[in-house]
Amino acid sequence: MGALTKGRYLSTAGLLLLVYCTVSVICKGATGDAQPDAPPSVQGTLPHFIQEPEDAYIVKSNPIKLRCRAAPALQIFFKCNGEWVHQNEHFSQEYKDLNTGLKVREVMINVSRQQVEDFHGPEDYWCLCVAWSHLGTSKSRKATVRIAYLRKNFEQDPQGKEVPINGMIVLHCRPPEGVPVAEVEWLKNEELLSSQADDNIDTRADHNLIINEARLSDSGNYTCLASNIVAKRRSATATVIVFVNGGWSLWTEWSACNVPCGRGVQKRSRTCTNPAPLNGGAFCEGMSVQKITCNALCPIDGGWDEWTVWTVCSSQCERQRSRECNSPAPRHRGRMCEGNSEATENCTDGLCTQNRKLLHDVKPQSMDGSNDVALYSGLGAGIIAVAILVVAVMLYRKNHSEYGVDVIDSSALAGGFQSFNFKTTRQGNPLLLNSSMQPDLTVGRTYSTPLCFQDGADKELFDPLPDIKVKVQSSFMVSLGVAERAEFHAKAPAETFPRDLSRDYCSTTDGRKKGLLTLNGPFSASKELLRTTGVFGHPGGRLVVPNTGVGLLVPHGAVAENMSWEMYMVINQGETSVQTLEGCEILLGPEVTYGPPGLDLFCPVAMTIAHCAEVDAENWNIQLKRKTQDSKWEDVMAVEEESTSCYCLMDSTSCHLLLDQPGSYALVGEPLTQAAVKRLKLAVFGSMEAGSMSYSLRVYCVDDTPHAFQGVVAAEKSRGGQLLEEPKMLPFLANTFSLQVSIQDVPQFLWSIKPFTTCQEFSFPQVWCSNQQPLHCAFSLERYSPATAQLSCKISVRQVKGHEQILQVYTAVAETEKESVPFFMQTDCTITSQTGPKAFKIPLSIRQRICATFDTANAKGKDWQLLAQKLHLDRNLGYFAKQQSPSAVILSLWEARHQDTADLDSLASALEEIGKIHSKSSPKDQDEPESDFNHIQAGSLCGTGKLTNQKTEDSAAPEYTG
C-alpha cells in the first residue's frame, strides 16, 4: 500500500512537471508571436512595484483598502500575517502604460476591523504584495493595519499659573493615548494659538506651551486640544494671570512751608502708579506722604526814618525834605512803609520873586476853583480804586474757597489706608480674571453668586483696615437712598418698531393680550416664595436671598437708636401682570418685595436685582415698576433718567436701587431696535430612564439670571438629572427670529433617535417673553446594546440670523454613575443676614470722619460732588444733593458696589486725588486746617485698633515725620 501511494505521488509530480513545461513553451511562443518587436527588457525584468501598500488605520467600523500596482506582472496576490489572502477577496484590473508600453496590474483588498481584532500575534496586523513575472517574483514592503482610537482623559492637564510680568510661562500637556499619536494645539480664550504669528510663544517643545516673556495680554484661559483621525479631546482649562506688582512714582517737590511765620511742616507725596498694581499684584510698601519740619522767617514791616532838614527856598518858592524806610527796612515779605518819602511846601507865604518881579496873590478865585477840582478828582479816583480792590478780594476769596478748608491733606483722609502694605490675595474662582485695580480683565464668568455672605471662617474680611486682604471677584453693587419721599413718574419713550414687528414681540403662544406682561419665576405653577428675614437696629446690616442675585442693604443709622425692625425680602414666583403704556415690555429680573409695609427709616435702603439685558440706552428702554395697593403696576422711573425720589444704577449684570418705600418692584425692558440683546443661559442635563435602554437629554434655555437658573438646577436635582456641560451664555437678538435646538454627531452604530426629532424650535415670542421661566426641549436616545456605556454628541443652539452656541456632551450613561452638580452650580451660602459692623467694609470711625469732612458747612457743598466723581458715581447728582449727608450715601453706595472686592485702596487713591486737587487750588489755606486733618488721621488710625499713638509720635519728631 505504501509503495502504491509513493508511485502515485511520483506519477502526479511528473505529470505536473510536463504540463508546466508545455505551458511555458506555449506562453513563450505566443509572446514571441504577438510582440516580435518588444524590447528585450520586458522579457528580462522582474516585476517592479509602482505602488506598494501603505500603513492604514481603521476608524470606528469602516474597513480600509490596501492597493498594489506592479509591471510587468502576470499575477499579484496579497499575503497577510504570513498567509495568502483568498483569490475571491482580490479586486484586480489590468491596463497598459502608454509611456512604457508595459501591462500594469493593480490589485486591491479590504481589511475589516474584525480581521484586525481577531489577529493575535507578536506584532501588528500586516500585509504585503507578491507579484509574478516570467523571471520570478517580487515582494512589496509590509504595510501595517491598526485600529485607530483616542482615549478620553489627558495624561496630564495644564495647570493654572500666576506669574509676574516678563516672567516665563510653561504650561505642560500630555495628550491622551491614541493611535495614531494625537497632535496637540493650544487655545487661548477659545482662539487658536500660533507660534508662527508670535515669536514670544513656542508650542513645539513636547506638546508644552512656553511663553518666554509674559505680557498683560497673555492673561487668559488656556486649553490643550488633542486630535487624531478619530476624535478631538479638550483638556481642563488653565487660567493664567499675569500680575504687576505696584511701584512708587517719583517724589513730588517739597511743598511750601504751611505757616507764614514760625515752625511749620513741608510735605511731598508719591503714588503707587509706576506701575500701578494689576491682576492681584502687590501694593507698594512704604509711605505715600513724607513730612519735614520747617522754620518760616516772620515778616518784618518797614518803618520811616526821621525827616531831614528843610532845604533852602528855591527860585520856585518851594522847599523840600525827605525820609527813608529804614527803621527798620522791610524784610521777609514785610510791608513797605505807608506814606510819602518826600514833602514839599511853599516858603514865601504866597509872595515870591520870580523873573525879578514881585508877585502878589493873583486870581484867588481861579486858584480856589482849581484846588476844588483836584480835590474832587482825587476823591473819585480813590473811591473807584477801593471798589476795584474790594471786588478783586471777593473774587480771590471765592475762587480759593472752592473746596473749603477741610480737604487739604489727602494723606490724612487716607491715613487709615496708605501707611500699610496691601498684598492682594489671588484666590477664589479660577475662571475669573480680576484685579485689585483697573483694568478689568474678566474673561470668563460663571455663577459664583456674588450676593452671598461668608462664614465665620472668613471673618478677616470684616476686620479693620490694616488687616484687610484686598480681592476683586465681581461687580456686586448696592446703593443707598434718599430721605425725601417724593414721587417721580417717567414718560415712556415713543415706539420705534413697525406696528407688525411690535405684534411679533407680544404675540405669545398662550394668547396673552398685547400690553400685558406676566411676571413669573421658574416653574411658575409653584406658589412657593423665596423669603429671608432679619432683625436690624441702629448699626444696620444686609439681607440676601441665596443664589438669586438679590440683596438688600440697610445703612448704618437708618434705624433709630434703641429701636429695631424685623425686615424681610421675598422673591415672588406667583403670577402677576404689568399693564404697559405702549410697545411690548419683558421682565428682565425677578419680582422682589421688601417690607414690612409700615417701615420707617431715616435713610433709604439699597436693593440689588440681577438682570439679563445687555444694557445699551440706544437699544433698550428699561423701566422700574412698583405694585400699588390695589395690585396694579405703576412706573417709578426710567433707568436712564434722573430723579430726586429714586436712584437706579445699572451694571452689566445687576441693577442697584435706592428705595424709601417698601413694596414690590420689578425691572422691565422694551426693545427700541432689533439690536437689543437679552442674555440666555444654556445648559444640558441628562438622565438614564430606569429599567430601559433609553437616555434622555434635556436642553434648557433660561434668562441669564442666578434666580432663574437656580430654579432649573433645583428641578433637575429632584429628578436625578446630571449636568453634562458647563452652562454657556447666548446673546438673543430682538430680531423676531426663532431659536433652533438640534442634536448632532450621535454615534449611529451605538445609539438611535426617533426620526424628525433631531431639530426642535422655539418661536421668537416664546423665548423673548419667557419672563424668567425656563424653556426646555428633550431628546430621547436609545442604545442598541446594554454594553454601550458612553455617549458623545453635540447640542447646537442657534438663533436664526443671530448667534450660536455649541454644548459638547461626553458622559457615561451607566445608571450607577451619578455625579453631583459641579462646583459652579453649588454654593455653601447659608447665611442670609448680617448685622452690625461685620456687614460693612469701611470701619465706622473712618466713615464718620470722611463724612464730617466732606459734608461740613465750609465745604460750600462741592466736596461731595468731587467724591462722587472720583468714585465713578457722578450720575444723578441731584438725588445726592437732597440727602442730609450726601457723602454718607455715596460711601454706602460705593461700599455696597464693592462688597465682594473690599477694594479699599481704590477709595484711598480717590481721596488722595481729591487732596491733590484741593492743594493746587488753594495753597495759601493749607495752614489753616492742618490741625483738623491731624485729628481726622488720628481718629482714622484709632479706628484700626493698632496705631492709636500715631499723632503723638508725629508731633514729637523734630526733623522728619511720615
Side-chain angles (χ1 to χ4, degrees):
M1 185 67 183
L4 180 60
T5 303
K6 183 175 183 181
R8 287 179 179 178
Y9 284 160
L10 291 176
S11 299
T12 302
L15 180 61
L16 291 175
L17 180 61
L18 179 62
V19 171
Y20 177 78
C21 294
T22 304
V23 171
S24 300
V25 171
I26 292 174
C27 292
K28 291 181 179 179
T31 304
D33 294 340
Q35 296 180 355
D37 298 329
S41 60
V42 173
Q43 303 298 332
T45 303
L46 288 173
H48 170 68
F49 284 97
I50 301 173
Q51 178 181 358
E52 297 184 271
E54 297 180 351
D55 296 340
Y57 298 94
I58 296 178
V59 179
K60 297 182 179 179
S61 296
N62 300 320
I64 57 98
K65 301 180 184 298
L66 297 179
R67 289 184 173 87
C68 277
R69 281 189 294 171
L74 298 176
Q75 194 61 267
I76 302 176
F77 286 98
F78 271 90
K79 194 174 187 179
C80 294
N81 303 318
E83 297 181 359
W84 294 103
V85 179
H86 195 277
Q87 184 176 2
N88 294 338
E89 298 180 11
H90 289 72
F91 302 92
S92 62
Q93 61 178 351
E94 190 177 51
Y95 60 91
K96 187 176 182 179
D97 190 336
L98 299 178
N99 295 326
T100 63
L102 299 177
K103 287 186 178 180
V104 179
R105 179 173 292 274
E106 180 177 352
V107 177
M108 180 190 69
I109 65 171
N110 291 331
V111 179
S112 67
R113 182 186 184 100
Q114 190 66 37
Q115 289 177 281
V116 178
E117 289 179 344
D118 292 343
F119 172 70
H120 300 284
E123 54 185 352
D124 293 330
Y125 190 99
W126 59 268
C127 293
L128 57 80
C129 295
V130 180
W132 278 268
S133 71
H134 296 289
L135 296 182
T137 62
S138 297
K139 292 183 180 181
S140 70
R141 65 179 292 275
K142 283 185 179 181
T144 60
V145 180
R146 305 176 67 184
I147 298 176
Y149 66 92
L150 184 62
R151 303 291 185 195
K152 184 176 180 180
N153 297 324
F154 278 71
E155 295 183 3
Q156 182 179 4
D157 285 310
Q159 301 297 319
K161 293 180 179 292
E162 297 176 353
V163 296
I165 193 168
N166 298 327
M168 177 178 285
I169 302 175
V170 179
L171 297 180
H172 299 280
C173 175
R174 293 177 60 189
E177 178 187 352
V179 173
V181 176
E183 296 181 356
V184 172
E185 296 176 308
W186 284 90
L187 301 179
K188 175 189 174 184
N189 298 334
E190 302 302 325
E191 294 184 1
L192 189 63
L193 278 178
S194 174
S195 58
Q196 297 179 353
D198 192 346
D199 296 337
N200 194 37
I201 296 177
D202 184 5
T203 58
R204 298 168 296 177
D206 194 21
H207 307 310
N208 298 330
L209 173 64
I210 299 176
I211 301 178
N212 297 316
E213 292 186 3
R215 302 156 295 191
L216 287 176
S217 59
D218 293 325
S219 296
N221 294 327
Y222 289 83
T223 307
C224 183
L225 184 65
S227 62
N228 63 6
I229 60 176
V230 180
K232 290 184 177 181
R233 300 285 186 259
R234 292 169 59 96
S235 70
T237 299
T239 299
V240 174
I241 300 176
V242 180
F243 62 88
V244 179
N245 292 325
W248 289 114
S249 64
L250 296 177
W251 288 102
T252 60
E253 296 294 332
W254 288 104
S255 65
C257 199
N258 66 332
V259 295
C261 176
R263 186 185 179 92
V265 175
Q266 287 181 284
K267 293 182 291 185
R268 66 175 183 176
S269 62
R270 58 180 178 176
T271 58
C272 189
T273 57
N274 187 33
L278 290 176
N279 297 347
F283 198 79
C284 303
E285 296 184 2
M287 295 175 293
S288 62
V289 177
Q290 285 184 344
K291 299 178 182 179
I292 59 173
T293 58
C294 58
N295 289 302
L297 298 176
C298 295
I300 300 177
D301 296 335
W304 288 114
D305 293 338
E306 295 293 331
W307 287 102
T308 60
V309 179
W310 288 105
T311 61
V312 177
C313 192
S314 66
S315 60
Q316 283 77 26
C317 305
E318 294 179 344
R319 62 177 182 177
Q320 292 87 23
R321 65 175 181 176
S322 63
R323 58 180 177 176
E324 293 184 358
C325 188
N326 287 328
S327 295
R331 288 181 296 171
H332 311 312
R333 303 177 306 279
R335 292 179 296 179
M336 291 294 294
C337 301
E338 297 181 358
N340 297 324
S341 61
E342 294 182 354
T344 302
E345 68 176 9
N346 189 282
C347 56
T348 60
D349 295 330
L351 298 177
C352 182
T353 301
Q354 185 175 4
N355 296 329
R356 300 189 179 188
K357 292 182 180 180
L358 184 62
L359 298 179
H360 298 278
D361 194 9
V362 182
K363 299 179 180 180
Q365 296 178 355
S366 176
M367 293 181 65
D368 292 341
S370 298
N371 291 336
D372 292 341
V373 171
L375 175 62
Y376 292 133
S377 298
L379 290 175
I383 292 173
I384 293 174
V386 171
I388 293 175
L389 180 61
V390 170
V391 172
V393 170
M394 292 178 64
L395 292 176
Y396 180 84
R397 294 187 63 184
K398 180 178 181 180
N399 292 336
H400 286 72
S401 301
E402 188 71 15
Y403 300 106
V405 296
D406 281 345
V407 184
I408 302 294
D409 186 358
S410 64
S411 66
L413 287 175
F417 307 94
Q418 298 237 349
S419 297
F420 305 94
N421 172 28
F422 290 88
K423 169 65 178 177
T424 59
T425 60
R426 297 188 291 273
Q427 300 175 357
N429 192 342
L431 295 179
L432 295 177
L433 292 178
N434 302 303
S435 61
S436 62
M437 296 182 68
Q438 293 185 0
D440 183 12
L441 298 177
T442 300
V443 297
R445 178 172 54 85
T446 60
Y447 277 117
S448 58
T449 313
L451 289 176
C452 178
F453 297 118
Q454 299 297 325
D455 220 347
D458 295 330
K459 185 178 178 181
E460 67 273 10
L461 293 177
F462 303 96
D463 287 345
L465 264 65
D467 295 334
I468 286 180
K469 300 295 184 181
V470 183
K471 174 64 183 176
V472 176
Q473 293 178 341
S474 67
S475 60
F476 160 49
M477 180 199 299
V478 181
S479 308
L480 297 183
V482 296
E484 300 292 334
R485 262 56 174 183
E487 292 186 0
F488 178 81
H489 298 277
K491 183 179 179 180
E495 183 178 62
T496 60
F497 280 114
R499 306 304 292 177
D500 56 339
L501 187 59
S502 179
R503 286 194 294 270
D504 289 339
Y505 278 90
C506 298
S507 59
T508 59
T509 55
D510 57 1
R512 288 179 296 175
K513 295 180 181 180
K514 178 182 178 183
L516 289 181
L517 171 64
T518 301
L519 306 184
N520 294 326
F523 311 100
S524 60
S526 171
K527 301 296 183 178
E528 178 185 0
L529 298 180
L530 296 178
R531 181 186 179 98
T532 181
T533 61
V535 178
F536 298 93
H538 186 71
R542 288 179 180 268
L543 271 179
V544 164
V545 181
N547 310 322
T548 62
V550 176
L552 187 75
L553 182 141
V554 181
H556 175 84
V559 180
E561 295 186 8
N562 301 323
M563 285 190 63
S564 63
W565 285 93
E566 182 179 5
M567 300 178 62
Y568 63 85
M569 187 167 53
V570 177
I571 296 181
N572 301 326
Q573 300 189 103
E575 295 185 358
T576 56
S577 63
V578 173
Q579 181 69 37
T580 61
L581 297 176
E582 60 183 56
C584 182
E585 296 178 329
I586 63 172
L587 184 63
L588 300 179
E591 176 194 341
V592 182
T593 302
Y594 87 96
L599 185 64
D600 184 17
L601 301 177
F602 288 104
C603 59
V605 297
M607 179 185 292
T608 296
I609 303 177
H611 66 80
C612 61
E614 292 285 354
V615 181
D616 187 345
E618 296 181 358
N619 300 323
W620 280 102
N621 173 31
I622 301 178
Q623 296 272 345
L624 176 66
K625 292 183 179 291
R626 176 173 54 208
K627 185 186 291 185
T628 60
Q629 293 181 353
D630 54 355
S631 297
K632 295 183 179 180
W633 289 90
E634 64 177 1
D635 291 343
V636 178
M637 67 175 295
V639 297
E640 294 299 327
E641 296 178 357
E642 295 192 355
S643 171
T644 58
S645 62
C646 186
Y647 192 98
C648 183
L649 183 62
M650 294 290 289
D651 272 353
S652 59
T653 58
S654 298
C655 175
H656 311 280
L657 308 172
L658 298 179
L659 307 170
D660 56 6
Q661 295 184 17
S664 298
Y665 294 85
L667 194 69
V668 298
E670 179 182 12
L672 301 179
T673 68
Q674 292 194 13
V677 173
K678 183 175 86 164
R679 299 190 312 273
L680 298 180
K681 182 63 65 176
L682 309 177
V684 55
F685 291 80
S687 61
M688 195 73 191
E689 297 180 12
S692 69
M693 303 280 284
S694 298
Y695 189 85
S696 176
L697 289 178
R698 293 176 296 279
V699 182
Y700 287 86
C701 305
V702 64
D703 292 353
D704 187 13
T705 62
H707 166 247
F709 193 64
Q710 287 298 329
V712 173
V713 175
E716 280 297 320
K717 280 186 177 180
S718 65
R719 65 191 304 174
Q722 177 185 3
L723 184 64
L724 304 181
E725 166 73 315
E726 179 177 355
K728 294 185 178 181
M729 189 276 289
L730 175 71
F732 190 77
L733 294 171
N735 59 6
T736 71
F737 288 98
S738 61
L739 186 70
Q740 296 177 346
V741 183
S742 61
I743 185 170
Q744 305 171 2
D745 296 345
V746 178
Q748 300 297 325
F749 58 95
L750 297 176
W751 295 87
S752 66
I753 186 171
K754 293 181 180 180
F756 311 108
T757 62
T758 57
C759 182
Q760 304 181 37
E761 185 170 352
F762 296 109
S763 66
F764 175 82
Q766 283 181 295
V767 181
W768 188 257
C769 301
S770 61
N771 295 330
Q772 303 288 296
Q773 283 188 304
L775 301 173
H776 87 279
C777 61
F779 300 94
S780 180
L781 295 90
E782 186 170 356
R783 49 184 174 174
Y784 291 112
S785 170
T788 302
Q790 300 289 332
L791 172 62
S792 65
C793 63
K794 291 193 299 186
I795 303 294
S796 171
V797 183
R798 62 179 294 268
Q799 184 186 17
V800 180
K801 296 186 179 180
H803 300 275
E804 181 182 18
Q805 275 286 13
I806 299 295
L807 299 173
Q808 191 72 50
V809 176
Y810 292 102
T811 183
V813 298
E815 295 184 12
T816 56
E817 294 184 13
K818 296 292 183 181
E819 297 181 5
S820 60
V821 178
F823 70 94
F824 52 82
M825 293 303 306
Q826 292 181 336
T827 176
D828 295 326
C829 180
T830 58
I831 303 175
T832 59
S833 66
Q834 284 186 325
T835 59
K838 65 181 180 180
F840 305 96
K841 298 299 182 184
I842 304 176
L844 180 60
S845 59
I846 294 180
R847 175 189 176 94
Q848 291 174 341
R849 299 293 183 185
I850 295 176
C851 292
T853 300
F854 285 93
D855 290 337
T856 186
N858 58 12
K860 311 293 185 185
K862 299 278 184 166
D863 280 356
W864 65 264
Q865 297 185 23
L866 187 59
L867 177 64
Q869 176 186 351
K870 293 302 179 181
L871 296 181
H872 309 292
L873 301 173
D874 51 347
R875 195 182 69 84
N876 198 5
L877 293 180
Y879 177 85
F880 298 119
K882 294 191 65 175
Q883 306 306 311
Q884 182 178 1
S885 174
S887 301
V889 176
I890 293 171
L891 286 179
S892 297
L893 177 59
W894 177 92
E895 177 171 299
R897 193 179 190 182
H898 297 81
Q899 173 63 25
D900 291 327
T901 66
D903 196 10
L904 294 175
D905 54 346
S906 66
L907 176 60
S909 298
L911 297 175
E912 184 177 5
E913 291 181 14
I914 295 174
K916 288 183 179 179
I917 294 175
H918 187 274
S919 62
K920 292 179 181 179
S921 301
S922 55
K924 291 186 178 181
D925 296 334
Q926 291 185 9
D927 57 305
E928 186 174 340
E930 181 69 17
S931 60
D932 293 338
F933 270 93
N934 287 338
H935 180 63
I936 292 175
Q937 184 177 15
S940 301
L941 292 173
C942 290
T944 65
K946 291 186 179 180
L947 300 175
T948 56
N949 296 325
Q950 182 70 32
K951 179 180 177 182
T952 305
E953 295 173 359
D954 289 350
S955 61
E959 298 296 336
Y960 182 88
T961 58

